[in-house]
Amino acid sequence: MLLKTLAFLFLNLLLLDLAVSTSEDGFIFNGFPGANLKLDGTASITSNGLLKLTNNTKQMMGHAFHPSPLNFQNSSDGKIFSFSTTYVFAIISGYVDLGGHGIAFLISPTKDLSNATPNTYLGLCSMKNKKTNHIFAVELDTVKSPEVDDIDENHVGIDINSLISNNSHTAGYYADDSGSFKTLNLLSGKVMQVWVDYDGEKMQVNVTLSPLGIPKPSRPLLSSTVNLSTVLLETMYVGFSASTGPPLTTHYVLGWSFKMNGIEQELDYSKLPAVPRTRPKGRSMALDISLPLASSAFVLVIVAAVFFIVWRRIKFSELLEDWEVEYGPHRFLYKDLFRATNGFKDKELLGTGGFGRVYKGVLPPSEMEVAVKRVSHGSRQGMKEFVAEIVSMGRLRHRNLVQLLGYCRRKGELLLVYDFMPSGSLDKYLYDSTQLTLDWDRRFQIIKGVASGLLYLHEGWEQVVIHRDIKASNVLLDSEMNGRLGDFGLARLYDHGTDPQTTHVVGTMGYLAPELVRTGKATTLTDVFAFGAFILEVACGRKPIEHSAPDERVVLVDWVVENWRKGSILNTLDSRLGQVYVVKEAEMVLKLGLLCSHPLPSARPTMHQVNQYFDGNAPLPELSPTYMSFSALALLQHEGFDDYLMSYPSVSTVSVLSGGR
């Protein structure tokens, strides 16, 4: 029994001698069973002889050093001796697609690197001091760390006193047969071999990498000229350092050979221990990370979806009451109008008036062009009747009316949708110097067209429609420059033969009939008064009231009356017309404008009569010189306006006569 025990011990000593051989200038480890290495951190030697630098623990580091220092420097001239080393390693990640951080062969003045930091710093230096003195290392890094200027997440680098590599290259090797570069994945779990050679005379470092079993490639992966005499001290320790980050990774060294002033001994691959395959088959960190992230993302998506729905409802909220259900076909969705106008952006703005802003829009999916007017209505009473009238007016059909297509209501806002008129509003052609001047024939046709449309409103439809805001800016021109009366936002309806019940004075200064200011009751004759002011505006190219004009020309109708008395009524025509107009037509238009804007309602014609005058079916009545010479005071007393003047002393006589307030 004793003989068997002695034989067993002798055999183990023999095998150990074969696996581990050391001398003063070099050593070789074909595996590390019984190796006397200085280990710290997570470093250990497994039962089968693997040097295990990390143990699959997050954010840890391990070091392994040859126990005895080596003499690197020639004391006579200070030059660094040549040296060469090779080692076989494997990096096993807990995931098929991610690992960290890396392993490094290093030459250090000390075996105590306990103050170093794992992760990016590979256990070589600390986070506070990213540089250190007298360190030479060759790193095999599997994480790209921008703070140390890593080139990628799979590289080899030569480090001199810093983790910012002196030279680096993507991991791989140059095949001897073709010289082509072949990439190696350091995280593949496959066993690989590294050679590090330093030529003391040339001061050149070469680093070569290849899969295990392939002869050392003739062309190194990295080659740098480095004067190590300023880096290495006379005696230094050689060893390995490895560190892990959050990804679970284990770093192994299977064999190691080192030689000073010569070529290292070749490793015996047959004696190298096997690397355990501990990685679960097909396991991916993407899966481990994605599962909790997916849960969090799902919750975030739900929250975002709820937020989006609430935000969308608020953004596109509408005011819809039960009584509006019957008006469904005439009601537009706010979100459709919002999208049609590009969110009511200023670039889509067509114009701004006293009652709202008008935007151009294109309705999906028909691509129909529309004009959308936004009117502030607050919480006004009578909204039900108002909307009912809007919907009714949507049934109006006449070639000289802008088609009202429908409406939309939001809190505090009413949106009216009309046909889009590509040529814009008439007032631009009257007052904008950048627009072409309308000739007389076009002006005459526009006036006749508006008269025809107004007749349809007063007498040609199932109800009487009082427009209440007839003026040049509310007359729009189609692609053929035909005039169309638009903007029915202030219009009111009542049955034929009944009395209108409007009691609020609305409209535009200069177009308001005197009796409307006094009674607040709009009628077809108050529309006729506004039409008269409109006729004079178009013919004369001037607004009904111009405060910047000379005193005798502030009120347009007064100025035209004065010229009519002098027999020079044609002098009031727009000077831009020159002499290019039809005299009879111009005289008729100017006189008709005065007749329609007569201060006394009973003296005004109806729109039926106005159209007869235009068609030549009835002669235009002559203006009465006697009546037109009435003084303002006499007129006011005749109409019983004295009480009005007492209530509103600031209102001038001229303003009242001209329809102002």
Side-chain angles (χ1 to χ4, degrees):
M1 184 68 180
L2 181 61
L3 291 175
K4 288 183 178 181
T5 302
L6 292 174
F8 178 76
L9 292 174
F10 176 77
L11 180 61
N12 277 288
L13 290 172
L14 179 62
L15 292 174
L16 181 62
D17 184 63
L18 292 174
V20 181
S21 176
T22 63
S23 64
E24 292 183 359
D25 59 355
F27 52 83
I28 184 171
F29 296 95
N30 288 301
F32 298 89
N36 181 25
L37 298 180
K38 173 62 171 65
L39 306 177
D40 67 26
T42 56
S44 64
I45 296 176
T46 66
S47 59
N48 67 335
L50 282 170
L51 173 56
K52 186 179 180 181
L53 292 169
T54 58
N55 60 4
N56 212 22
T57 305
K58 295 180 181 180
Q59 298 181 334
M60 296 297 290
M61 62 182 178
H63 302 100
F65 286 96
H66 187 271
S68 303
L70 298 176
N71 186 15
F72 278 84
Q73 195 175 69
N74 189 330
S75 59
S76 62
D77 56 13
K79 290 184 178 180
I80 300 300
F81 295 127
S82 298
F83 62 86
S84 61
T85 186
T86 184
Y87 57 94
V88 176
F89 74 97
I91 302 176
I92 307 295
S93 173
Y95 304 92
V96 296
D97 50 7
L98 188 62
H101 270 263
I103 181 174
F105 163 76
L106 75 153
I107 303 176
S108 168
T110 176
K111 295 182 289 184
D112 183 9
L113 296 178
S114 58
N115 292 327
T117 306
N119 297 334
T120 299
Y121 308 97
L122 300 179
L124 297 178
C125 60
S126 67
M127 184 184 303
K128 295 181 179 179
N129 186 10
K130 298 178 183 179
K131 294 185 178 181
T132 186
N133 293 324
H134 309 298
I135 287 288
F136 169 84
V138 174
E139 66 175 51
L140 306 170
D141 201 350
T142 57
V143 174
K144 181 179 181 180
S145 301
E147 59 184 296
V148 291
D149 297 339
D150 284 344
I151 59 172
D152 58 30
E153 70 285 349
N154 183 56
H155 63 272
V156 179
I158 298 174
D159 300 341
I160 307 293
N161 292 335
S162 170
L163 281 178
I164 299 178
S165 298
N166 178 273
N167 191 7
S168 60
H169 196 287
T170 297
Y173 66 102
Y174 293 95
D176 289 336
D177 53 351
S178 62
S180 61
F181 180 74
K182 296 185 178 181
T183 302
L184 291 175
N185 181 8
L186 297 175
L187 279 175
S188 64
K190 296 181 179 179
V191 180
M192 303 178 198
Q193 186 169 2
V194 178
W195 292 267
V196 180
D197 301 293
Y198 178 71
D199 187 327
E201 293 297 324
K202 297 180 179 179
M203 293 186 294
Q204 182 171 313
V205 177
N206 290 332
V207 180
T208 310
L209 176 67
S210 78
L212 185 66
I214 293 179
K216 180 180 180 182
S218 59
R219 179 180 175 182
L221 177 66
L222 290 173
S223 184
S224 292
T225 300
V226 180
N227 183 6
L228 292 183
S229 62
T230 61
V231 178
L232 302 183
L233 303 178
E234 183 175 352
T235 59
M236 303 285 285
Y237 293 93
V238 293
F240 296 95
S241 176
S243 71
T244 59
L248 305 180
T249 309
T250 305
H251 301 84
Y252 294 99
V253 178
L254 289 71
W256 181 22
S257 176
F258 185 93
K259 179 67 174 178
M260 189 71 70
N261 288 318
I263 304 299
E264 79 284 346
Q265 298 182 57
E266 293 185 3
L267 294 170
D268 187 347
Y269 300 146
S270 64
K271 297 178 181 179
L272 299 181
V275 175
R277 296 297 174 179
T278 57
R279 180 169 62 202
K281 184 178 180 181
R283 181 178 178 183
S284 170
M285 186 174 186
L287 181 62
D288 285 5
I289 294 177
S290 63
L291 288 178
L293 286 181
S295 300
S296 301
F298 179 74
V299 174
L300 289 175
V301 168
I302 296 299
V303 173
V306 172
F307 175 81
F308 176 77
I309 291 172
V310 173
W311 170 82
R312 184 182 178 85
R313 286 183 178 179
I314 294 174
K315 180 178 180 180
F316 297 125
S317 63
E318 301 179 18
L319 191 60
L320 179 63
E321 300 181 53
D322 294 340
W323 53 264
E324 293 183 78
V325 174
E326 61 180 293
Y327 304 137
H330 301 279
R331 177 160 182 144
F332 287 85
L333 294 176
Y334 178 75
K335 66 179 180 179
D336 290 341
L337 299 181
F338 186 87
R339 292 168 180 167
T341 58
N342 291 322
F344 296 101
K345 295 292 178 59
D346 287 344
K347 67 178 182 179
E348 305 297 342
L349 185 65
L350 296 174
T352 302
F355 299 97
R357 296 160 68 89
V358 184
Y359 297 84
K360 179 183 178 182
V362 180
L363 290 175
S366 63
E367 299 298 315
M368 178 182 179
E369 293 183 320
V370 295
V372 182
K373 184 168 186 177
R374 304 180 75 178
V375 183
S376 175
H377 68 72
S379 57
R380 53 171 291 177
Q381 296 179 346
M383 179 54 65
K384 182 176 181 179
E385 293 76 12
F386 182 66
V387 170
E389 291 183 358
I390 289 175
V391 173
S392 295
M393 285 183 284
R395 303 199 306 270
L396 295 171
R397 297 290 187 275
H398 192 275
R399 65 181 180 278
N400 294 112
L401 298 179
V402 177
Q403 180 65 44
L404 176 60
L405 302 176
Y407 78 102
C408 175
R409 271 205 315 143
R410 300 188 79 205
K411 185 177 181 181
E413 188 176 45
L414 177 71
L415 294 95
L416 303 177
V417 185
Y418 297 89
D419 271 338
F420 173 68
M421 295 289 107
S423 297
S425 58
L426 175 60
D427 63 324
K428 293 181 180 179
Y429 295 89
L430 296 178
Y431 307 120
D432 190 344
S433 60
T434 63
Q435 299 288 346
L436 295 175
T437 300
L438 294 176
D439 58 24
W440 172 256
D441 182 64
R442 180 53 60 193
R443 298 189 194 207
F444 188 56
Q445 294 303 320
I446 290 173
I447 293 172
K448 289 174 61 177
V450 174
S452 177
L454 200 53
L455 173 61
Y456 173 76
L457 294 179
H458 288 180
E459 302 181 22
W461 196 53
E462 60 190 46
Q463 287 183 291
V464 178
V465 181
I466 308 173
H467 189 277
R468 300 207 299 173
D469 201 18
I470 302 165
K471 56 185 178 181
S473 59
N474 283 340
V475 174
L476 303 177
L477 306 177
D478 60 21
S479 57
E480 298 178 354
M481 300 296 286
N482 296 310
R484 297 193 182 194
L485 182 60
D487 198 342
F488 293 89
L490 299 179
R492 286 294 178 267
L493 291 80
Y494 63 94
D495 294 330
H496 290 279
T498 62
D499 187 33
Q501 298 300 314
T502 55
T503 57
H504 292 85
V505 178
V506 295
T508 304
M509 183 178 178
Y511 303 87
L512 298 175
E515 71 275 14
L516 178 61
V517 177
R518 181 172 62 90
T519 66
K521 182 178 292 186
T523 66
T524 55
L525 289 178
T526 59
D527 267 1
V528 172
F529 183 93
F531 177 71
F534 165 75
I535 290 177
L536 296 179
E537 179 180 15
V538 176
C540 302
R542 287 187 49 203
K543 294 181 180 180
I545 296 179
E546 289 189 355
H547 296 288
S548 60
D551 291 343
E552 70 277 6
R553 298 176 61 180
V554 170
V555 182
L556 177 59
V557 65
D558 288 353
W559 181 55
V560 177
V561 167
E562 184 65 28
N563 278 275
W564 169 74
R565 289 174 180 169
K566 295 177 181 179
S568 57
I569 193 170
L570 292 179
N571 289 344
T572 62
L573 288 174
D574 192 340
S575 60
R576 291 175 295 177
L577 293 172
Q579 300 300 316
V580 185
Y581 55 87
V582 180
V583 175
K584 290 185 178 181
E585 291 178 352
E587 288 181 340
M588 182 185 71
V589 165
L590 292 170
K591 291 179 180 180
L592 182 59
L594 293 178
L595 187 63
C596 289
S597 57
H598 200 287
L600 296 177
S602 59
R604 300 172 202 152
T606 65
M607 289 311 301
H608 178 74
Q609 292 172 315
V610 169
N611 279 271
Q612 284 186 318
Y613 303 151
F614 280 131
D615 295 339
N617 297 327
L620 181 69
E622 289 295 330
L623 299 176
S624 171
T626 303
Y627 180 76
M628 296 306 287
S629 65
F630 274 6
S631 69
L633 180 59
L635 176 61
L636 291 174
Q637 292 173 341
H638 175 78
E639 284 293 303
F641 285 4
D642 50 337
D643 292 337
Y644 173 76
L645 286 177
M646 291 295 292
S647 301
Y648 300 95
S650 62
V651 179
S652 68
T653 302
V654 172
S655 297
V656 173
L657 286 178
S658 63
R661 288 192 289 166

